[in-house]
């Protein structure tokens, strides 16, 4: 007999050995979720439950295999008959036995990604959609949009408005293409990846015999990472537990394990409401909280708990550890996002004296946020691996833009010329070689003839000639290049050019620290070769989404500034803002021993041609003063510890504590960064419009300055300035 009490803590033991009925295990980060599931399987086997009547649903085959293997190692009963796998693999196994009615007895084939691409292309050609229109999204993007609309169960128009506004002109055509793709699959007897889930749901709803037999077989259902389920997956679990009209006592035995605070994949269709509403879907369900953390120190958990305590809706768990001590969480305020890269790189060299490189990670909200840090690490010879987004020098749009700069420096640079030429329709490799030879000849007439039939390429060459005649800084050159390249980028990458534009603006900022363009280009090229760093010990750079499920001894979170984390678009919808909060919680709980938070005081804004004030992330502003050790970067790059403790800058846009030189303070004041004595009261409402006071969960009490129909208001928050916010975000003044 297994001594479960000896192997598990009290909450884990309760979850692993609970009796029949629906159970929700709310498993906080680092609380032993997998260990609990493994011992639940072993306990069921020990109680005489046949392995064949257990179903384990996970999100990866690897996770299912690992859990079943570990459960078999623990149990002496044998678990070979347990069916474990992903929702999709389970659906496929069921649909092989009970085929969808619309097939009328025919067999079906499961499409892989290549099949899906070929099918959408065929439908697109048959409809004549997008022919000759370079702004129409590429096939893979079309597939992604159709899948996202289906998994989120939203109209395609809604998906475009929220996530790909630049494609709205193609909404009608994309809708027709989606309908044609649906008809194509039915006609050919094909199921794609998403079809598996919806066809399984239809089977459970419409085929009473199949549903009854599945419920009879699978008496115990365990679902891992339940917070990552989409709507149809949650409905499948509910239908496997019992008929839609089943009474609570007639429900099957469902154990869902997850953490609402780690639901961060809404962009894939995951819906946090599934786990939050589990007690409603399964009346009488027991809720067991796993709160003892085995990963992080107490100071780190205190910060994570504080972040989560402000959530609009949660299961109100509080992580704790029995471990004593731990380094304080450091809150650093660099003067700018550029000096942030230098400070982080310096900090990493310090951490490398205590930890192995693979035990250090830098986390960020978006892939382009690490560009400046990548260069700073390269300059110091610190190897790194990046997850979630390409390195800046590997991204195609960055290579395109840099090709202009390289050709500016060296008109004979054939690879760069070929890359620019490829942006223009009708200019292939051979034509590019001929034109390049003509341009290199110095013969004006030959050059004119070579470019006569290629107006766009000639415009690019004229642009470069014009740049050579001007005296510009490297940042000025790159800014001009980005403007010239943007129309090409919009055509070449219609699916996501706004995101790529942000990355290019980051490159402009990186160049701002250089006085010579050739030195900047050389630094970009002189990064550590990938084949050398692959086997070498390297630190980790990662987006937070890619870091979920991982952990490191030391974690540094960068760019904790408004419009960066949380991202700008998340401020328009409450549910998206709450997901950003969960992202922050996930980032903090990746750290075992040390956690650093970086909140730059200014952010480079190319439109403003310089640094602009950056408010701290609201997730940082909410932290109690006692939870962090605050450090501020003084003029000259020297960090100094704040003696007052608490948040590094109580007034984020105020620079009195940053030791800026007078001329820099003047420049920031001109850009609207109020100094301590200049915090103005709210202005009166214009033209006699009604105004009043309101409250916001993050910014506090404010005065409504202007109403912006249909659903926004402009509010002046003391200490934070004017903000344009959705009216639904505001609370009436008490």
């Amino acid at each position: 007999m297994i001594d479960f009490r000896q192997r598990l803590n009290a909450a884990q033991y309760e979850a692993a050995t609970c009796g029949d009925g629906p159970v929700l295990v709310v498993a906080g980060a680092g609380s032993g979720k997998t260990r609990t599931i493994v011992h639940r399987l072993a306990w069921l086997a020990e109680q005489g439950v046949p392995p064949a009547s257990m179903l384990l649903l996970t999100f990866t085959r690897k996770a299912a295999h690992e859990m079943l293997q570990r459960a078999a190692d623990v149990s002496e009963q044998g678990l070979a008959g347990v069916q474990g796998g992903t929702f999709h693999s389970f659906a496929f196994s069921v649909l092989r036995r009970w085929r969808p009615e619309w097939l009328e007895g025919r067999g079906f084939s499961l499409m892989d990604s290549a099949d899906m691409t070929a099918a959408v292309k065929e439908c697109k050609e048959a409809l004549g959609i997008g022919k000759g229109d370079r702004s129409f999204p590429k096939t893979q993007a079309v597939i992604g949009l159709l899948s996202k609309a289906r998994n989120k169960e939203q109209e395609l128009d809604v998906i475009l408005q929220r996530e790909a506004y630049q494609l709205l002109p193609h909404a009608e055509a994309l809708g027709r293409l989606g309908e044609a793709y649906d008809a194509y699959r039915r006609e050919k007897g094909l199921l794609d990846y998403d079809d598996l889930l919806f066809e399984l749901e239809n089977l459970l709803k419409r085929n009473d015999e199949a549903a009854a037999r599945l419920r009879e077989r699978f008496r115990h259902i365990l679902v891992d990472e339940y917070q990552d389920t989409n709507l149809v997956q949650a409905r499948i679990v509910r239908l496997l537990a019992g008929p839609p009209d089943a009474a609570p006592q007639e429900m099957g035995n469902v154990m869902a394990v997850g953490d609402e605070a780690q639901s961060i994949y809404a962009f894939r269709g995951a819906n946090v409401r599934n786990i939050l509403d589990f007690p409603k879907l399964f009346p009488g369900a027991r809720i067991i909280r796993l709160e003892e953390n085995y990963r992080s120190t107490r100071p780190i958990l205190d910060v994570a708990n504080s972040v989560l305590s402000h959530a609009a809706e949660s299961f109100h768990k509080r992580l704790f550890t029995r471990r004593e001590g731990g380094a304080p969480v450091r809150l650093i305020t660099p003067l700018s996002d550029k000096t942030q890269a230098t400070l982080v790189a310096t900090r990493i060299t310090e951490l490398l004296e205590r930890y192995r490189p693979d035990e250090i990670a830098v986390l960020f909200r978006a892939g382009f946020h690490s560009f400046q840090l990548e260069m700073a690490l390269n300059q110091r010879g610190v190897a790194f691996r990046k997850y979630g987004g390409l390195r800046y020098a590997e991204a195609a749009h960055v290579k395109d833009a840099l090709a202009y700069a390289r050709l500016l420096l060296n008109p004979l640079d054939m690879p760069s010329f070929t890359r620019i030429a490829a942006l223009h329709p009708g200019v292939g490799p051979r034509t590019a070689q001929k034109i390049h030879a003509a341009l290199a000849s110095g013969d004006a007439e030959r050059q004119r003839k070579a470019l006569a039939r290629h107006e766009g390429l000639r415009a690019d060459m004229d642009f470069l000639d014009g740049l050579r005649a001007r005296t510009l800084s490297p940042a000025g050159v790159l800014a001009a290049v980005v403007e010239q390249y943007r129309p090409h980028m919009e055509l070449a990458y219609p699916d996501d050019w706004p995101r790529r534009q942000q990355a290019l603006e980051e490159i402009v900022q990186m160049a701002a620290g250089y006085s010579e363009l050739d030195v900047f280009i050389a630094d970009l090229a002189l990064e550590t070769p990938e084949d050398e760093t692959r086997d070498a010990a390297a630190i980790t750079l990662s987006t937070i989404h890619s870091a979920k499920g991982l952990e490191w001894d030391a974690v540094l979170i960068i760019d904790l500034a408004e419009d960066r984390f949380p991202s700008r678009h998340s401020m328009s919808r409450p549910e998206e803002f709450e997901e950003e909060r969960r992202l922050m919680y996930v980032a903090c709980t990746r750290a075992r021993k040390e956690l650093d938070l970086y909140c730059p005081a200014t952010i480079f804004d190319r439109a403003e041609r310089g640094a602009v004030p950056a408010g701290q992330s609201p997730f940082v502003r909410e932290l109690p003063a006692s939870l962090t050790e605050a450090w501020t970067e003084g003029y000259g790059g020297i960090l100094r510890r704040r003696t007052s403790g608490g948040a590094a800058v109580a007034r984020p846009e105020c620079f009195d504590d940053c030791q800026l030189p007078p001329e820099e303070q003047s420049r920031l004041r001109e850009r609207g960064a109020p100094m301590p004595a200049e915090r103005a009261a709210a202005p009166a409402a214009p033209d006699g419009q009604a105004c009043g006071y309101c409250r916001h969960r993050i910014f506090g009490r404010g005065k409504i300055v202007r109403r912006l129909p249909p659903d926004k208001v402009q509010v002046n928050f003391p200490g934070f300035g004017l903000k344009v916010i959705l009216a639904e975000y505001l609370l009436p003044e008490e």
Side-chain angles (χ1 to χ4, degrees), residues 80-289:
V82 177
Q83 181 161 346
T86 65
F87 276 89
H88 294 85
S89 64
F90 172 68
F92 179 71
S93 68
V94 172
L95 294 173
R96 288 181 64 201
R97 170 68 179 83
W98 290 285
R99 295 173 185 170
E101 292 180 357
W102 57 267
L103 284 168
E104 299 176 340
R106 294 178 293 157
F108 71 87
S109 298
L110 182 61
M111 305 172 77
D112 60 19
S113 58
D115 298 329
M116 295 164 65
T117 299
V120 171
K121 282 184 177 179
E122 186 172 331
C123 294
K124 181 180 172 183
E125 291 173 1
L127 293 172
I129 290 175
K131 189 173 183 180
D133 184 357
R134 296 181 66 192
S135 69
F136 195 82
K138 298 174 183 176
T139 302
Q140 285 302 318
V142 172
I143 294 172
L145 289 168
L146 296 177
S147 177
K148 184 170 290 189
R150 198 168 186 198
N151 278 287
K152 288 192 171 188
E153 300 183 31
Q154 295 176 346
E155 294 296 328
L156 184 59
D157 285 3
V158 175
I159 298 297
L160 294 178
Q161 288 169 1
R162 293 183 180 177
E163 304 181 29
Y165 63 87
Q166 74 277 8
L167 298 178
L168 280 172
H170 301 296
E172 188 272 335
L174 286 169
R176 288 193 291 122
L177 184 53
E179 293 172 357
Y181 176 54
D182 290 342
Y184 179 96
R185 299 196 310 282
R186 290 241 168 178
E187 178 186 344
K188 309 292 184 184
L190 301 171
L191 296 182
D192 67 14
Y193 198 61
D194 298 327
D195 288 329
L196 292 172
L197 299 181
F198 288 96
E199 292 297 344
L200 174 59
E201 181 190 18
N202 288 335
L203 177 78
L204 293 171
K205 284 182 174 180
R206 300 175 184 176
N207 189 323
D208 292 339
E209 178 191 356
R213 292 184 62 177
L214 288 169
R215 291 170 190 140
E216 178 66 24
R217 176 182 173 184
F218 297 114
R219 296 297 185 90
H220 288 272
I221 303 168
L222 288 85
V223 187
D224 185 29
E225 303 285 12
Y226 191 74
Q227 78 280 351
D228 291 337
T229 55
N230 61 20
L231 292 171
V232 67
Q233 288 168 330
R235 293 197 298 268
I236 287 172
V237 173
R238 174 62 182 79
L239 289 168
L240 285 171
D245 57 351
Q249 61 271 20
E250 297 173 343
M251 287 285 190
N253 303 308
V254 175
M255 176 176 281
V257 184
D259 183 3
E260 87 290 349
Q262 297 188 69
S263 180
I264 60 174
Y265 295 120
F267 65 94
R268 296 180 185 170
N271 195 314
V272 72
R273 297 292 345 156
N274 290 343
I275 189 169
L276 291 173
D277 293 342
F278 187 89
K280 298 177 182 177
L281 291 172
F282 296 88
R286 295 175 62 181
I287 300 177
I288 302 172
R289 294 171 175 81

Side-chain angles (χ1 to χ4, degrees), residues 597-713:
L597 309 177
Y598 288 82
C599 311
T602 63
I603 296 289
F604 180 83
D605 188 321
R606 192 169 63 84
E608 296 290 338
R609 300 183 180 181
V612 297
Q616 280 184 339
S617 167
F619 309 135
V620 173
R621 290 201 298 267
E622 291 171 343
L623 294 176
S626 59
L627 296 187
T628 58
E629 180 182 271
W631 294 75
T632 312
E633 181 192 4
Y635 186 58
I638 300 174
L639 271 180
R640 61 187 180 92
R641 184 174 173 180
R642 289 285 297 275
T643 57
S644 58
V649 180
R651 167 69 171 99
E653 294 91 345
C654 173
F655 295 88
D656 57 322
D657 287 323
C658 290
Q659 295 184 326
L660 289 174
E663 61 274 15
E664 185 71 5
Q665 291 189 25
S666 298
R667 187 171 65 81
L668 289 171
R669 186 185 289 108
E670 290 173 0
R671 296 189 185 284
M675 307 309 288
E678 299 172 351
R679 301 177 189 176
D687 302 325
Q689 295 184 38
C691 74
Y693 290 90
C694 62
R695 297 197 67 83
H696 187 272
R697 286 197 314 110
I698 304 302
F699 304 120
R701 185 174 187 267
K703 183 175 183 179
I704 299 173
V705 177
R706 183 181 292 107
R707 302 187 185 278
L708 305 172
D711 57 359
K712 294 184 177 67
V713 292

